[in-house]
Amino acid sequence: AQPPIPVSALVITYCHKAFVAEALQTILAQQGPDIEIVASDDCSPDGTLAAIERIAAATGGQRRFVVSSTLRNSGLASNLNNAVAQARGAILVACAGDDRSRPGRFARLVAAMGVHEDGIFAVTTDAMKIDAAGRETGHEPGWQHGGAIEAMAFVVPGVATNGAAMAYRREVFDLFGPLDAGVNWEDQVLPFRAA
């Protein structure tokens, strides 16, 4: 049997044709942990899936690169569930198809997670917002509550993380199972499960 791949980049896309190549290139350029890419498209009508397939083919099999699509356009939760079901990593890093990962992002997330430590099931980072032209438009905190991500923090209205800046241990998905189909705010549900 093949040893598990430690880190899975879950690239969740919908109508990201104009951005997905750059998003994937910033993941492929990451140094440090062994990273597989699991890209799941939610039946984009704009050719996003074909763009992902071109990038995957260009990697020449240098790393595990799974390209998938939902059976029909079914929303964020189903698309994320599709990616998680195909991922092998012990740590799952959220990546939107229109986001860029800065150099060192994955190495820092894995280090913060503490690969062999118990009790840490999610970590987040701050993010820089960008517009469609790639210009920086502002800063977004990864966790708006301060302190550790704890379950009781979620009793405060509006508490959430920046979902695109999160990393989770696989147990967050394995213990609770797939997200319900109607979930559109995974950046509240998944950190709560992790806590």
Side-chain angles (χ1 to χ4, degrees):
Q2 200 174 338
I5 295 170
V7 181
S8 298
L10 304 180
V11 183
I12 307 305
T13 64
Y14 181 69
C15 291
H16 290 148
K17 179 184 177 184
F19 311 106
V20 73
E22 186 175 10
L24 290 167
Q25 293 299 339
T26 65
I27 296 167
L28 289 165
Q30 295 291 311
Q31 300 293 313
D34 187 11
I35 301 167
E36 71 169 359
I37 297 174
V38 180
S40 180
D41 183 61
D42 196 21
C43 293
S44 297
D46 70 344
T48 298
L49 185 61
I52 296 168
E53 289 170 337
R54 282 191 296 277
I55 297 291
T59 65
Q62 295 172 348
R63 68 175 73 206
R64 184 169 189 260
F65 198 135
V66 177
V67 180
S68 181
S69 177
T70 54
L71 297 176
R72 58 179 168 67
N73 179 258
S74 48
L76 174 68
S78 294
N79 200 13
L80 182 58
N81 290 338
N82 184 49
V84 170
Q86 298 176 73
R88 295 182 183 170
I91 296 173
L92 309 177
V93 179
C95 302
D98 60 349
D99 290 348
R100 298 179 191 154
S101 292
R102 289 197 169 163
R105 175 187 181 213
F106 283 68
R108 286 192 295 274
L109 286 169
V110 170
M113 186 81 70
V115 175
H116 300 292
E117 292 182 29
D118 292 330
I120 299 176
F121 292 93
V123 294
T124 188
T125 64
D126 291 353
M128 181 60 66
K129 295 181 191 179
I130 56 175
D131 64 16
R135 294 180 299 254
E136 294 183 356
T137 62
H139 174 264
E140 184 170 328
W143 173 237
Q144 293 99 12
H145 188 69
I149 298 173
E150 298 175 335
M152 286 306 294
F154 288 89
V155 300
V156 177
V159 168
T161 61
N162 178 346
M166 294 293 299
Y168 302 96
R169 285 197 184 278
R170 172 167 280 292
E171 291 89 340
V172 171
F173 295 90
D174 291 347
L175 179 63
F176 292 97
L179 291 171
D180 291 339
V183 169
N184 287 318
W185 295 95
E186 90 289 358
D187 45 1
Q188 290 179 328
V189 175
L190 293 175
F192 180 77
R193 288 179 173 191

